[in-house]
Amino acid sequence: MTLRKTLIAVTAFAAIGAVALTGCSSGGGSTSGSAGGSLTIAKPDGAAVLATQINNPFISTGSGMSLGYDRMIYEPLAMVNPVGKNETTPWLASKVEWNADYTQLTVTPRTGVKWSDGTPFTADDIVFTYTLIKNTPALDLGGLKLADIKKDGDNVVLSFSESKFVKQGDVLQVGIVPEHQWKAIADPTKDPVKEAVGTGPYTIKSFSSQGVVLSSRKDYWGGDVPVPQLKYLEYNDNTGLLRGLQNGETDWAQIFITDFQKNYVDKDAKHNVFWAANVLSPDMIVVNTTKAPFNDPAFRKAVNMVIDRKAHAEKARSNAGPELTSVTGIPQPTGDQYIAPEYKDKTFSIDVDGAKKVLTDAGYTWNKDALIDPAGAPVSFTLQDPQGWNDYVTGIQLVATQVKSTLGADAKVATPDADTWTSNVATGNFDAALHWTGSGTNPWHIYDDVMNGAYLEQAAGGKVSDNFGRYNNPEATALLAQYAQASDDATRTDALNKLQKIFVEDVPAIPIGTHPQLGEYNTRKYTGWPSEDDQYATADPTQPSAVQVVLKLKPAGK
């Protein structure tokens, strides 16, 4: 399903019930009333996140973006829904319109909006924000490649050096910052922006090592804010945050929970909700294609043929999301419409005999039960993921056991700390790792993450920002560019079908499971949360749509 390039207007708000657009009342940023009380939102990243107040939305590791409270302060032009109907909801723009090839975006700024310091929001703020990104490459977190930004009457026109069809969300969901404040900031890549001024429904009431408290605005452009206060906390790890969810200290979070039904939902079955929003993002065993044994397509194919994906869904993911079944790696049913005709009915199955034949045909042998490569050396490799990432560590343990027992390869498991692992993956200091892929409203991001040779050309200091397996196939790279730059669906479909064929036949990475966006919340204080039955957004409080979720809530019992 593609996002509409035709006019998307303010009426979209009413269509999905995101915000009741009422007249703005006068007044400052004090707390408005609500029978539901405050909501507590938490992350499991440790106290260090709260050591320094960083409200700069361009610093992804700062307190504001790490905890997600920046989402309640800095608002985007529009929201792009990765689930449900993939709809685009205008936000600070009253309407947005793409041209035919998605190289130009025309937006109409919403009227009647004020920054939290009382200054009117205007088209100049939009122009300033995107010009700041254009002129400061370090701020271009979404790879927008802006060519020109200008005002055209009441509108703002953004032009790009390439099609943004696959990156509409990256373009539209940039947090807009106030020109009157930011024009005085000398280095926007480092300034913490202690005094956060935004158009969003909340302002910062307090910040300390104990947490962050936001108060709702009475003069918010979208009308009454249903939740008067938000509290953001940090726990040391998933275990601590789970206890907070279980005992009611925390209302809203995003963590993996082993056996979520027993360990969370059943603790208060009437109110506790765990929702895994099935987005177009699988988990894959990313393999280093530049070194043995995964530089051999035959070995990659053989491993792909013996993976127990049902066990992964049940034991590693606690059935949080459906089993990955399509040989294309595209999660179903979300991505059914994108699967190429030749793979519509092709699903994964464990085929040990078939895998051994692939290896035998490629010159592999066995010494008793040990797999020997064509050069006469025992086959061994190490799977690594960070310690504490229970679902991922369980996942690689399952894979190691399966490969060792079926093929005889010496598969080991390593669990370095997260910083070491991140560095290892970026620099190529690994054999294999279980990793997520990017997600969007089409499968392009799945294949871009593991097949795009452009990332290898952009490597800096030996580090790549994606395609960590360093797969280099010029045909795949060209097809990814063709899909991204196409101006019609037929061209995109043809390119995507060919990409799937390369992926299935050459196995640049090994798809293992779905990677839903997780969310936990309770309905004791508020209702109106996103869910499987109402997929207007995901339930992840760190995503751009978090503000959309809060504004759709209603006090319980009303």
Side-chain angles (χ1 to χ4, degrees):
M1 183 177 296
T2 60
L3 295 175
R4 296 186 299 163
K5 68 179 178 67
T6 51
L7 197 64
I8 306 172
V10 67
T11 50
F13 274 109
I16 68 167
V19 178
L21 291 176
T22 61
C24 295
S25 59
S26 61
S30 61
T31 302
S32 60
S34 172
S38 65
L39 278 178
T40 300
I41 304 162
K43 290 285 296 300
D45 301 330
V49 173
L50 291 171
T52 304
Q53 183 177 3
I54 300 176
N55 307 319
N56 186 330
F58 296 110
I59 300 179
S60 59
T61 57
S63 58
M65 291 303 289
S66 293
L67 274 164
Y69 69 78
D70 269 1
R71 305 296 192 186
M72 304 296 170
I73 298 170
Y74 304 102
E75 297 181 299
L77 297 177
M79 303 287 184
V80 180
N81 190 3
V83 292
K85 298 179 180 179
N86 297 150
E87 67 272 22
T88 293
T89 303
W91 210 260
L92 283 183
S94 59
K95 55 187 176 185
V96 300
E97 185 176 20
W98 291 95
N99 66 351
D101 63 1
Y102 292 85
T103 59
Q104 191 173 87
L105 173 68
T106 301
V107 301
T108 301
R110 188 177 299 282
T111 59
V113 177
K114 288 185 178 181
W115 295 98
S116 53
D117 63 2
T119 304
F121 161 79
T122 69
D124 290 333
D125 295 305
I126 299 174
V127 172
F128 175 83
T129 299
Y130 284 93
T131 300
L132 190 67
I133 292 172
K134 178 179 180 294
N135 295 339
T136 316
L139 301 184
D140 193 2
L141 305 180
L144 304 189
K145 296 184 179 180
L146 282 150
D148 187 50
I149 306 105
K150 64 182 180 182
K151 288 196 292 185
D152 181 12
D154 294 332
N155 297 329
V156 175
V157 180
L158 306 177
S159 299
F160 305 89
S161 59
E162 61 184 23
S163 172
K164 293 295 134 183
F165 176 80
V166 298
K167 291 194 172 185
Q168 294 172 64
D170 294 303
V171 174
L172 292 168
Q173 293 179 157
V174 169
I176 305 300
V177 298
E179 179 184 18
H180 67 277
Q181 179 192 30
W182 280 63
K183 65 183 180 183
I185 293 177
D187 188 350
T189 68
K190 297 179 180 178
D191 196 299
V193 192
K194 291 293 181 67
E195 298 297 325
V197 176
T199 59
Y202 292 90
T203 57
I204 297 174
K205 180 180 181 181
S206 65
F207 182 100
S208 73
S209 60
Q210 304 304 307
V212 185
V213 178
L214 304 187
S215 292
S216 62
R217 293 173 56 184
K218 284 187 175 180
D219 62 343
Y220 179 57
W221 62 267
D224 291 339
V225 182
V227 184
Q229 184 168 267
L230 302 177
K231 299 177 181 179
Y232 287 82
L233 304 178
E234 273 289 0
Y235 288 82
N236 287 330
D237 50 33
N238 280 13
T239 301
L241 178 47
L242 175 58
R243 283 197 296 267
L245 286 165
Q246 290 172 335
N247 63 28
E249 288 177 355
T250 290
D251 299 303
W252 190 11
Q254 181 270 101
I255 57 168
F256 173 76
I257 301 175
T258 302
D259 196 353
F260 63 86
Q261 187 69 36
K262 173 184 176 182
N263 291 319
Y264 175 60
V265 176
D266 288 348
K267 298 298 181 181
D268 184 354
K270 183 178 179 180
H271 300 106
N272 287 354
V273 179
F274 174 94
W275 182 40
N278 190 25
V279 297
L280 287 172
S281 174
D283 278 335
M284 297 202 196
I285 298 293
V286 174
V287 297
N288 193 331
T289 62
T290 67
K291 56 184 291 192
F294 291 109
N295 60 345
D296 184 355
F299 185 71
R300 300 197 298 263
K301 182 174 288 189
V303 172
N304 192 39
M305 294 170 71
V306 301
I307 296 295
D308 189 343
R309 292 169 175 86
K310 183 176 179 62
H312 179 82
E314 293 176 348
K315 298 178 181 178
R317 300 294 292 171
S318 295
N319 288 319
E323 179 184 344
L324 188 68
T325 57
S326 173
V327 296
T328 65
I330 296 175
Q332 295 173 285
T334 310
D336 281 344
Q337 62 184 305
Y338 297 108
I339 296 175
E342 65 179 304
Y343 299 121
K344 284 291 186 186
D345 300 317
K346 301 291 179 63
T347 57
F348 287 118
S349 62
I350 299 174
D351 184 2
V352 177
D353 291 339
K356 288 184 173 180
K357 184 178 186 308
V358 167
L359 293 173
T360 300
D361 291 347
Y364 289 78
T365 57
W366 281 265
N367 180 4
K368 296 182 179 178
D369 291 330
L371 181 64
I372 308 299
D373 70 19
V379 176
S380 66
F381 64 91
T382 300
L383 291 143
Q384 61 174 278
D385 273 282
Q387 57 187 347
W389 291 15
N390 298 337
D391 49 339
Y392 279 70
V393 172
T394 300
I396 59 176
Q397 289 171 337
L398 288 170
V399 170
T401 299
Q402 184 78 357
V403 172
K404 194 168 188 175
S405 64
T406 57
L407 300 181
D410 183 15
K412 305 179 183 70
V413 168
T415 56
D417 62 79
D419 288 342
T420 300
W421 177 80
T422 299
S423 177
N424 288 346
V425 170
T427 58
N429 183 28
F430 75 104
D431 299 325
L434 182 53
H435 204 288
W436 58 92
T437 68
S439 66
T441 54
N442 55 68
W444 180 87
H445 295 272
I446 297 174
Y447 301 122
D448 175 70
D449 271 15
V450 295
M451 298 170 69
N452 198 339
Y455 292 111
L456 308 182
E457 299 174 5
Q458 299 161 6
K463 295 182 178 181
V464 295
S465 61
D466 237 320
N467 189 6
F468 299 116
R470 290 161 167 76
Y471 179 73
N472 195 2
N473 181 327
E475 182 185 1
T477 301
L479 286 167
L480 285 162
Q482 179 181 326
Y483 184 98
Q485 297 165 12
S487 58
D488 62 273
D489 286 340
T491 302
R492 281 188 283 267
T493 298
D494 179 64
L496 185 60
N497 290 349
K498 291 175 179 176
L499 282 166
Q500 291 176 54
K501 188 173 184 65
I502 294 173
F503 182 82
V504 171
E505 294 183 353
D506 209 27
V507 195
I510 300 169
I512 185 171
T514 55
H515 183 81
Q517 283 193 13
L518 307 179
E520 298 86 21
Y521 57 82
N522 66 69
T523 59
R524 288 187 288 274
K525 299 177 183 177
Y526 292 94
T527 60
W529 299 89
S531 65
E532 192 67 27
D533 296 328
D534 189 8
Q535 299 187 25
Y536 66 86
T538 70
D540 182 343
T542 67
Q543 296 302 307
S545 59
V547 66
Q548 185 179 13
V549 173
V550 168
L551 294 174
K552 199 173 187 298
L553 298 181
K554 296 179 180 179
K558 288 194 174 183

